[in-house]
Amino acid sequence: MAAAVRRRLVAVALLAPFLLGACSTPTAEPPRATADTAVAEIKAGEAYNDTDVMFLQMFVHHQRQALQMTATAVERAQDPELRTLVQAVQATESDELSMIEGWLKGWGESTEVDTAPNLHAHHGGLPGTGPAEIKALTTVPDAEFDTAFLSLFLAHQHNAMELADIVTDGGKNAETKSFGERVKASRQGEIQQMLKLMAK
């Protein structure tokens, strides 16, 4: 029951920008999302460009890595506050992942990203965390886990903010650009929480 309530709160938080936008702008059309609409059902609209697609594909890759890391942290985190944080991150990013995969599929685009370095050189490379680094979280001694995870995940979430700049600067789709702004705000909040945990 607690998990269901948490996912409900996450869904409402993700929907808030859409709901506020719908209330602030008069329109003859009904809003596309309500508090009873699943996050994954939010539609991104038909207008988009290559930057929107590239961002979402890269972010799918990034989210999958985050979910791998947080799954390990849920099992291994020593600090209860850290465990609570990663559970919240898991709920949020699982819903985000379903949403953006739905947008790509709705446009008839692949949900996979080509990881060839030369394809992403013009925007600083493909942000992400190496498979070896993620795997290392499963073997680091328990006493060192929290520090190792926080160090790795801080960098990972900072990369998310940099990645979001791609779509806020060059995207065309309004919902995708808005999502990029929310990513920057939410990850900044997570980073501040993680820095406090590291300082304990």
Side-chain angles (χ1 to χ4, degrees):
M1 180 65 72
V5 171
R6 186 175 67 249
R7 289 182 68 84
R8 172 71 172 174
L9 291 173
V10 169
V12 172
L14 285 170
L15 284 164
F18 293 89
L19 298 175
L20 291 172
C23 293
S24 62
T25 305
T27 175
E29 298 180 359
R32 284 173 290 179
T34 70
D36 293 322
T37 304
V39 170
E41 295 175 3
I42 298 172
K43 304 302 180 184
E46 298 299 323
Y48 68 95
N49 61 16
D50 289 344
T51 299
D52 294 307
V53 173
M54 179 184 67
F55 162 71
L56 292 178
Q57 290 173 337
M58 292 171 70
F59 213 75
V60 164
H61 176 74
H62 192 274
Q63 296 284 72
R64 290 172 180 168
Q65 289 185 323
L67 291 174
Q68 281 183 274
M69 287 185 275
T70 54
T72 301
V74 166
E75 299 296 327
R76 302 202 61 203
Q78 305 298 300
D79 186 335
E81 289 186 49
L82 175 56
R83 192 176 301 112
T84 298
L85 174 61
V86 296
Q87 287 172 333
V89 169
Q90 271 193 317
T92 299
E93 299 206 11
S94 292
D95 286 337
E96 289 177 346
L97 180 58
S98 295
M99 181 178 70
I100 62 180
E101 285 180 330
W103 290 355
L104 287 167
K105 291 174 183 176
W107 293 338
E109 302 285 351
S110 173
T111 59
E112 304 299 320
V113 64
D114 191 328
T115 57
N118 61 304
L119 295 179
H120 306 282
H122 67 286
H123 54 70
L126 177 64
T129 307
E133 295 173 293
I134 295 173
K135 185 177 180 180
L137 291 175
T138 65
T139 58
V140 66
D142 288 347
E144 301 172 16
F145 178 82
D146 288 5
T147 298
F149 172 80
L150 286 167
S151 297
L152 189 61
F153 208 63
L154 275 165
H156 192 76
Q157 297 302 67
H158 180 72
N159 283 342
M161 295 172 65
E162 293 182 335
L163 184 55
D165 284 334
I166 294 172
V167 76
T168 56
D169 291 342
K172 178 178 180 180
N173 182 267
E175 284 80 4
T176 305
K177 290 167 71 72
S178 178
F179 174 63
E181 294 291 354
R182 295 199 306 279
V183 164
K184 289 191 282 187
S186 66
R187 275 45 171 190
Q188 181 60 45
E190 291 172 11
I191 286 170
Q192 293 302 317
Q193 293 180 62
M194 288 189 283
L195 288 173
K196 289 179 182 178
L197 288 174
M198 288 191 78
K200 288 175 69 174

